[in-house]
Amino acid sequence: MILGIGNDVLEVSRMAREVAKGGPFRPGEVFTAAELAYCDSQRYPARHLAARFAAKEALYKALGTGAPTPGALGQVEVVRRAAGAPTLVLSGSARQAAARRGVTRIFVSLAHTPTVASAVVVLEH
């Protein structure tokens, strides 16, 4: 049974500006160290960061908890499975919120172009 669906879209240029300013990119605030390392290894890091940020926002929309704090965003990690498909790993209050809702599976889809990144999250019981 589907418990929630969330989506988010972010302009890549906005993320690129944050990267240039040295935005909130200390591990744990918005992105994990592994997410930062992965995105930095890509040709266009801002596209990958924007897609991951969109996934985190989409998760909280699907949970119905309202706007997350930067620390809460850092409790959601986008991880690539062996075949390359993304999945979300939750910790702290994000994991607790999902447990309260009865979430047993999380589906996530990421997409980006040179200008826009998007994510869709589906929560299942």
Side-chain angles (χ1 to χ4, degrees), residues 49-69:
L49 287 167
R52 279 153 179 75
F53 188 89
K56 295 164 189 264
E57 291 279 334
L59 170 74
Y60 281 98
K61 289 175 181 178
L63 286 171
T65 60
T69 63

Side-chain angles (χ1 to χ4, degrees), residues 51-108:
R52 279 153 179 75
F53 188 89
K56 295 164 189 264
E57 291 279 334
L59 170 74
Y60 281 98
K61 289 175 181 178
L63 286 171
T65 60
T69 63
L73 291 175
Q75 296 173 359
V76 179
E77 182 176 20
V78 177
V79 176
R80 291 171 42 112
R81 295 182 189 146
T87 189
L88 298 181
V89 176
L90 310 182
S91 62
S93 63
R95 178 184 280 170
Q96 292 169 354
R100 279 192 302 274
R101 290 284 317 270
V103 174
T104 58
R105 291 182 68 186
I106 301 173
F107 299 90
V108 60

